Amino acid sequence: MGPDRGITLADLAATTGVSESTLSRLESGQRRATLELLLPLSHIYDVPLDDLVGAPPTGDPRIHLKPISRFGMTFVPLSRRPGGVHAFKMIIPGRPEPLEPNPQTHEGFEWLYVLNGRLRLVIGERDLTLPPGKAAEFDTSLPHWLGSADGAAVELLILFGLQGVRAHVRSGSHS
């Protein structure tokens, strides 16, 4: 509970009114969660109560997409199509020292757009820095790597398609 967001059990106890010992037992699984414990935690962490208790879907038309953690980054799927192009929001967390590139290859084609932060994009011999508002597209069979250019967090949108499926960006009005 506490360490992930830099909140101590003492801080959480003071904010929620739940004792440190109860929070500690809840965190370690020695205490079962009750509604009285979950409601203040839901509010503090800004997490819907249904997510905390793993509630089943109730016919709500909204899509609740679960983040995926890979390679120290978070991918939030924005599409659920079984084929074609897949859309993700990708979050590269900030760290004191930027990572060294470790390029990988795989089948496919990728288009990306930087929302926040400065993205370092290494493709083959090219080493690029993309600020917010910049986009790139590349064949993922080329060795490539994405990371933070300066150690700060980076948020981007990614469209990924199988080989031959490309994003086409059009500008202006063409008839």
Side-chain angles (χ1 to χ4, degrees):
M1 247 181 250
D4 291 346
R5 304 237 180 158
I7 299 173
T8 66
L9 285 179
D11 293 338
L12 200 54
T15 309
T16 61
V18 178
S19 74
E20 278 186 61
S21 63
T22 298
L23 289 170
S24 179
R25 291 196 317 265
L26 186 62
E27 186 175 44
S28 66
Q30 296 171 349
R31 168 83 189 249
R32 293 190 64 157
T34 63
L35 192 58
E36 291 78 12
L37 294 175
L38 290 175
L39 283 172
L41 293 174
S42 170
H43 179 70
I44 297 296
Y45 286 103
D46 196 25
V47 175
L49 191 58
D50 283 358
D51 288 357
L52 282 179
V53 298
T58 58
D60 186 337
R62 293 173 296 179
I63 297 172
H64 301 282
L65 300 167
K66 300 290 183 196
I68 303 161
S69 293
R70 295 278 187 280
F71 319 111
M73 297 177 274
T74 301
F75 296 83
V76 180
L78 301 175
S79 61
R80 299 178 74 166
R81 289 177 54 201
V85 175
H86 294 268
F88 297 90
K89 179 177 181 183
M90 179 177 163
I91 302 156
I92 301 169
R95 47 188 314 121
E97 293 290 323
L99 291 173
E100 281 305 305
N102 179 21
Q104 304 290 322
T105 63
H106 52 87
E107 286 296 310
F109 198 85
E110 198 166 295
W111 179 90
L112 58 84
Y113 177 86
V114 180
L115 295 168
N116 290 303
R118 294 168 47 81
L119 176 71
R120 182 175 178 194
L121 175 61
V122 176
I123 305 171
E125 300 298 313
R126 300 181 73 189
D127 193 335
L128 308 166
T129 297
L130 281 71
K134 293 296 181 183
E137 62 178 355
F138 56 94
D139 184 329
T140 57
S141 66
L142 296 170
H144 62 282
W145 178 86
L146 288 76
S148 173
D150 53 16
V154 183
E155 295 180 41
L156 55 149
L157 294 178
I158 291 182
L159 296 179
F160 174 76
L162 299 176
Q163 201 59 39
V165 179
R166 298 180 62 156
H168 298 283
V169 179
R170 305 232 193 295
S171 61
S173 57
H174 300 289
S175 310

